[in-house]
């Protein structure tokens, strides 16, 4: 095992010198000697895309900062025969930290990954805020790739559903901070990621034996699409003792298999002892035409000041044009347990399950809620389809209390109140075997 201090390879921690080559050289040398730690300490190290290798742990000491470049040219597109990059979400093949088909890799330490997200966004207009009251920023306009042209305004079903595709969505900015593809034995521990741009913090795709422990994600809640941890088509995953604040979904479980070239189940995901704040969903399971997601548990969670607490919204796409991360399978979500969860000062639904039209869905079934205590502006909503009922939903010792927006002390609640959302009663349609035991619904 070898410890490689990036300063020995020429890295300078002044926050201005670009250190991509020096840090990559340290990673390559560490891997060539059987693996070990690549150590970042005592400084702010500006960097473009780096590629981890098997056996290498990127270790950021408490006085070290890995600073993501704000120059989009420092993030070349990923080229790979291992996975189909044409199916990268948002048609964007760029990331900051990349690993492909690696074993025994990690990002650890009490230091910081600073993504300089404020340099990738611009303030929204008052009119834009009225349409999206939980956001304050849009993606910053960036040049389109050479030879491309903006899509016309009718192309509304590609890009960020359900919003029209803004040509800025196809910008050169990295759409993911960390992308691990097809890796085994992965550890992310203690490290703090902050100031994410309009892109996902972690996309863990097609991996096995993955562990997030005491990880921190500190993104601005009113910046778009800066999701927390995406677990896609993975098996044997634990997420524990993490604190996540972000503008989009905090924790996502999906089975979007198109990049992997074969249908791959997402299963055996355990999430516990986490604090979550999101201006989308605290926990999301499934998206458009994903495959099979099963046998997952979520326990001991605090979800506060979020838009939706627990969400299984399966959108549809009536347009023949493909959305950026639209799958090709019939979705099946089954055997999912939510236990000991507090949802407080929630702007919309504490529990939201819906199967939309034009979604390929084989079913949502065997979903268990126990000891859920929610204070939210809306009540739970579970809606299947006449041709695809939601099945076997169990609520045990759950308590749902409806708040007024004026009782939620944030500027975003005031925006929602001005938007004019009406309060809803609990809604259950096209649901078979819906069971309530010691469960109450109340209004302030």
């Amino acid at each position: 095992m070898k410890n490689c201090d990036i300063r020995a390879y020429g890295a300078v921690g002044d926050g201005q010198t670009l250190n991509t080559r020096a840090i990559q050289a340290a990673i390559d040398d560490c891997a060539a000697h059987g693996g070990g730690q690549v150590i970042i300490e005592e400084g702010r190290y500006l960097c473009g895309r780096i590629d981890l290798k098997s056996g290498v742990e990127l270790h950021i000491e408490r006085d070290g900062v890995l600073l993501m470049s704000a120059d989009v040219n420092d993030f070349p597109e990923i080229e790979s025969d291992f996975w189909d990059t044409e199916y990268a979400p948002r048609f964007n093949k760029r990331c900051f930290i990349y690993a492909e088909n690696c074993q025994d890799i990690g990002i650890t330490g009490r230091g910081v990954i600073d993504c300089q997200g404020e340099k990738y966004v611009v303030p929204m207009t008052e009119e834009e805020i009225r349409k999206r009251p939980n956001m304050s920023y849009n993606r910053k306009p960036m040049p389109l790739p050479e030879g491309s042209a903006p899509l016309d305004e009718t192309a509304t079903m590609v890009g960020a559903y359900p919003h029209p595709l803004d040509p800025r969505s196809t910008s050169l900015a990295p759409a993911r901070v960390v992308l691990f593809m097809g890796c085994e034995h992965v550890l992310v521990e203690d490290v703090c990621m902050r100031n994410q741009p309009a892109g996902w913090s972690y996309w863990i795709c097609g991996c096995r034996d993955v562990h997030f422990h005491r990880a921190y994600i500190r993104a601005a809640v009113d910046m778009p699409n800066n999701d927390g941890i995406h677990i896609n088509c993975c098996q044997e995953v634990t997420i524990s003792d993490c604190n996540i604040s972000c503008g989009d979904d905090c924790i996502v479980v999906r089975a979007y298999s198109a990049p992997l070239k074969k249908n791959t189940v997402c299963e055996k995901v355990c999430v516990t002892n986490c604090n979550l704040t999101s201006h989308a969903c605290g926990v999301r399971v499934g998206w458009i035409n994903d495959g099979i997601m099963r046998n997952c548990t979520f326990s001991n969670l605090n979800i506060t000041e979020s838009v939706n607490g627990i969400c299984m919204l399966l959108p549809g796409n009536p347009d023949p044009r493909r959305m950026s991360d639209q799958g090709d399978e019939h979705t099946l979500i089954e055997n999912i347990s939510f236990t000991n969860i507090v949802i407080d000062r929630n702007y919309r639904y504490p529990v939201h399950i819906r199967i939309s039209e034009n979604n390929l869905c084989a079913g949502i079934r065997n979903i268990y809620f126990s000891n859920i205590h929610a204070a939210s502006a809306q009540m739970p909503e579970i809606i299947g389809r006449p041709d695809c009922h939601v099945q076997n939903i169990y609520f045990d010792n759950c308590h749902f209390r409806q708040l007024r927006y004026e009782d939620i002390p944030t500027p975003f609640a005031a925006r929602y109140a001005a938007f004019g959302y009406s309060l809803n009663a609990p809604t259950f349609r096209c649901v078979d075997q819906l069971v309530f035991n010691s469960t109450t619904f109340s209004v302030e």
Side-chain angles (χ1 to χ4, degrees):
M1 302 291 287
K2 183 172 184 177
N3 291 336
C4 300
D5 188 323
I6 62 172
R7 292 171 296 185
Y9 298 81
V12 179
D14 59 4
Q16 298 179 1
T17 302
L18 188 65
N19 295 289
T20 311
R21 289 185 178 179
I23 296 175
Q24 189 62 59
I27 292 171
D28 294 346
D29 188 33
C30 186
H33 287 84
Q37 287 188 338
V38 170
I39 299 171
I40 298 174
E41 61 181 345
E42 296 183 355
R44 294 169 58 83
Y45 296 88
L46 186 68
C47 188
R49 187 186 116 192
I50 52 176
D51 295 0
L52 284 186
K53 303 292 178 67
S54 289
V56 175
E57 176 184 315
L58 188 65
H59 186 79
I60 308 174
E61 294 284 3
R62 61 181 301 274
D63 58 354
V65 176
L66 183 62
L67 188 64
M68 192 173 90
S69 171
D71 185 346
V72 297
N73 296 307
D74 292 329
F75 305 97
E77 287 193 335
I78 296 168
E79 297 181 359
S80 175
D81 294 327
F82 183 75
W83 64 286
D84 195 337
T85 61
E86 294 303 314
Y87 290 99
R90 302 191 185 280
F91 310 108
N92 190 308
K93 309 170 189 177
R94 292 175 166 84
C95 70
F96 183 24
I97 303 172
Y98 180 62
E100 172 186 297
N101 194 24
C102 292
Q103 294 76 44
D104 300 304
I105 59 172
I107 303 174
T108 66
R110 300 302 297 269
V112 171
I113 300 172
D114 189 330
C115 304
Q116 303 199 81
E118 66 279 359
K119 296 187 178 181
Y120 286 90
V121 296
V122 292
M124 294 169 66
T125 65
E126 291 186 8
E127 178 61 27
E128 288 171 328
I129 288 174
R130 281 193 289 271
K131 293 178 181 178
R132 296 188 70 191
N134 56 318
M135 290 289 121
S136 302
Y137 298 91
N138 277 325
R139 297 181 185 90
K140 187 177 181 179
M142 297 266 184
L144 291 171
E146 184 178 355
S148 64
L151 295 174
D152 63 78
E153 293 182 357
T154 64
T156 59
M157 300 307 295
V158 288
Y161 182 91
H163 307 291
L165 176 70
D166 188 326
R168 294 175 293 189
S169 297
T170 60
S171 76
L172 305 181
R176 277 145 287 280
V177 180
V178 173
L179 196 170
F180 290 164
M181 179 67 67
C183 299
E184 293 188 353
H185 316 310
V186 175
L187 175 65
V188 177
E189 186 173 57
D190 290 329
V191 72
C192 175
M193 184 184 293
R194 69 187 184 200
N195 298 336
Q196 288 86 311
W200 304 348
S201 302
Y202 295 91
W203 190 34
I204 311 300
C205 185
C207 297
R208 182 182 294 274
D209 188 24
V210 178
H211 304 279
F212 283 82
H213 186 220
R214 296 193 306 263
Y216 294 83
I217 294 176
R218 299 297 191 196
V221 294
D222 53 352
M223 286 187 186
N225 304 120
N226 54 8
D227 300 44
I229 301 172
H230 266 243
I231 301 299
N232 184 62
C233 296
C234 295
Q235 302 82 43
E236 301 169 17
V237 178
T238 63
I239 301 172
S240 62
D241 303 288
C242 296
N243 293 304
I244 303 174
S245 297
C246 53
D248 216 320
D249 306 326
C250 284
I251 296 175
V252 182
V253 173
R254 291 194 57 193
Y256 170 54
S257 296
L260 300 173
K261 305 179 184 179
K262 64 179 181 179
N263 295 346
T264 305
V265 173
C266 193
E267 62 181 343
K268 294 189 279 188
V269 177
C270 298
V271 180
T272 189
N273 301 340
C274 295
N275 296 306
L276 309 176
T277 298
S278 164
H279 273 197
C281 304
V283 173
R284 168 182 287 282
V285 181
W287 189 237
I288 180 167
N289 301 345
D290 283 351
I292 297 173
M293 292 145 281
R294 65 190 180 199
N295 304 341
C296 301
T297 63
F298 301 84
S299 64
N300 302 338
L301 307 180
N302 288 310
I303 302 174
T304 58
E305 294 180 4
S306 295
V307 174
N308 297 306
I310 298 166
C311 185
M312 299 181 193
L313 171 64
L314 304 183
N317 181 8
D319 196 297
R321 290 168 293 194
R322 184 188 191 94
M323 283 173 56
S324 69
D325 50 347
Q326 174 179 327
D328 301 300
E329 300 178 66
H330 286 74
T331 300
L332 176 61
I333 301 174
E334 63 178 356
N335 304 336
I336 312 293
S337 174
F338 298 92
T339 307
N340 297 337
I341 298 175
V342 172
I343 302 171
D344 190 29
R345 303 187 301 278
N346 204 61
Y347 302 133
R348 298 206 68 190
Y349 303 105
V351 174
H352 191 203
I353 300 175
R354 179 188 283 265
I355 304 172
S356 302
E357 296 296 324
N358 303 296
N359 181 280
L360 300 177
C361 185
I364 298 176
R365 65 195 185 201
N366 305 337
I367 312 298
Y368 304 90
F369 300 94
S370 63
N371 296 324
I372 310 296
H373 303 281
S376 182
Q378 306 277 44
M379 284 292 188
E381 180 177 273
I382 301 179
I383 301 177
R385 269 193 338 230
D387 64 334
C388 188
H389 284 204
V390 177
Q391 298 176 306
N392 305 335
I393 307 296
Y394 300 90
F395 289 90
D396 180 59
N397 191 36
C398 295
H399 305 278
F400 298 97
R401 181 165 55 94
Q402 193 167 54
L403 299 176
R404 299 173 302 176
Y405 282 119
E406 50 264 38
D407 294 325
I408 304 176
T410 70
F412 305 103
R415 291 181 187 178
Y416 270 99
F419 194 84
Y421 278 114
S422 59
L423 302 183
N424 72 309
T427 304
F428 307 98
R429 294 201 302 267
C430 297
V431 182
D432 297 337
Q433 188 71 9
L434 176 62
V435 177
F436 297 99
N437 179 47
S438 299
T439 293
T440 62
F441 303 87
S442 62
V443 179
E444 286 283 278

